[in-house]
Amino acid sequence: MGVLNLTPDSFADGGSIASPEAAYDRMGGMACDGAAICDIGAESTRPGALPVPVEEELRRLEPVFRLLRARGAPLPVSIDTSKAAVAAAAIEAGAVMVNDITAGRGDEAMFALVADRGTDLCLMHMRGDPRTMQDDPRYADVVQEVGDFLEGRIAAAVAAGVREERIVVDPGVGFGKTLEHNLALLAGIPVLAARLGRPILVGLSRKGMIGALTGRDTAGRLAGSLAGALAGVARGAAAVRVHDVAETVDALTVWKAIEEAGR
Ligand code: HH2
């Protein structure tokens, strides 16, 4: 899953897309580089970020939606939003997946919309909200608690009419977690996958945990992010959400070839 942020303030790539045309071209590039899906977002959720009003989120997205409607999407599109109105506009423009970092808690209309439109849905774990999530997060057993949460949100989505086979889950690296919590969750992917029975998506690309382990700023975190993506997939992640699609696809291609030769 390639990341396309139409935000002025995302932590790794904020402000990097100059125009709707540039966004569309970036999507075409991701498709060529081997991404299976492009996750478009217009609200930064980095630690400390303030919520973006729905009108502003739509204002940032609409010009790109217009291009998608007119020309078709170069690859399947996911919408990274917690607002049902934004998800509805994205689906109208062709999005096939809703990536909701609040797992449906941000907007009570979200599950009904996804159920009605029949899109895929990513449910992510986050402790609190982006403003406060990194204020001394604590868990007695982070893998158990994140598993409990995701199990509950799968049940809530299914109760609202979302088909279970449409659901992907994400432990939410960096969303209300210390480095140790993030590492425990990535190491615990097999436990979560076995317990929840749904594909697992992980997003650690250029995040603080890579910086904490390597001492690098966001621009220097590619190698660490690639290692994290490989480790995540090796432990059973079905998808990785990344800023650097070509490099990640190459790394996974080589790793997979060796794994398959060894079978
Ligand atoms: N991480 C970010 C945003 N959305 N969605 C899922 N499912 N999983 C993640 O780990 C995840 C996510 C944060 O990364 P980014 O979009 O690059 O930054 P920002 O929130 O600052 O726009």
Side-chain angles (χ1 to χ4, degrees):
M1 171 183 273
V3 179
L4 180 62
N5 281 318
L6 304 176
T7 51
D9 57 344
S10 286
F11 77 95
D13 60 350
S16 66
I17 300 286
S19 67
E21 286 289 343
Y24 192 85
D25 288 351
R26 180 78 69 91
M27 293 172 75
M30 278 183 196
C32 292
D33 290 341
I37 191 161
C38 170
D39 191 39
I40 306 183
E43 176 177 33
S44 174
T45 49
R46 71 188 190 286
L50 295 175
V52 173
V54 63
E55 299 77 21
E56 175 60 16
E57 207 175 320
L58 281 168
R59 194 190 61 77
R60 294 174 184 178
L61 289 162
E62 230 354 286
V64 177
F65 290 168
R66 218 169 291 136
L67 288 181
L68 291 174
R69 283 193 300 264
R71 301 180 191 168
L75 76 174
V77 169
S78 155
I79 179 71
D80 184 353
T81 190
S82 51
K83 300 182 186 78
V86 175
I91 294 166
E92 175 81 28
V96 295
M97 178 168 181
V98 176
N99 172 26
D100 183 356
I101 63 154
T102 72
R105 296 172 302 157
D107 187 334
E108 59 183 25
M110 186 63 99
F111 286 162
L113 173 85
V114 170
D116 179 67
R117 305 295 200 277
T119 63
D120 291 337
L121 174 65
C122 179
L123 300 172
M124 196 195 77
H125 174 272
M126 169 168 56
R127 177 189 158 278
D129 63 49
R131 255 172 310 185
T132 57
M133 64 191 180
Q134 290 306 105
D135 298 348
D136 193 24
R138 286 168 197 244
Y139 303 83
D141 179 336
V142 71
V143 177
Q144 173 78 33
E145 287 169 49
V146 168
D148 290 347
F149 171 87
L150 292 172
E151 194 171 72
R153 297 316 295 164
I154 292 171
V158 169
V162 177
R163 298 210 351 232
E164 189 160 355
E165 62 269 27
R166 292 269 174 216
I167 297 174
V168 174
V169 292
D170 182 335
V173 168
F175 286 86
K177 284 120 190 160
T178 63
L179 173 62
E180 287 66 33
H181 297 143
N182 290 321
L183 292 172
L185 285 166
L186 289 162
I189 288 172
V191 177
L192 291 171
R195 175 173 173 190
L196 301 169
R198 300 305 313 144
I200 302 215
L201 168 73
V202 287
L204 47 75
S205 182
R206 302 193 203 171
K207 281 189 178 168
M209 69 163 281
I210 307 294
L213 290 167
T214 62
R216 307 254 180 215
D217 64 13
T218 49
R221 294 178 188 169
L222 173 60
S225 301
L226 293 174
L230 290 179
V233 173
R235 299 191 74 77
V240 281
R241 184 179 180 279
V242 303
H243 300 91
D244 304 284
V245 172
E247 293 84 350
T248 308
V249 170
D250 282 359
L252 285 169
T253 302
V254 172
W255 174 82
K256 254 171 75 179
I258 296 168
E259 285 298 304
E260 275 161 24
R263 266 193 211 124

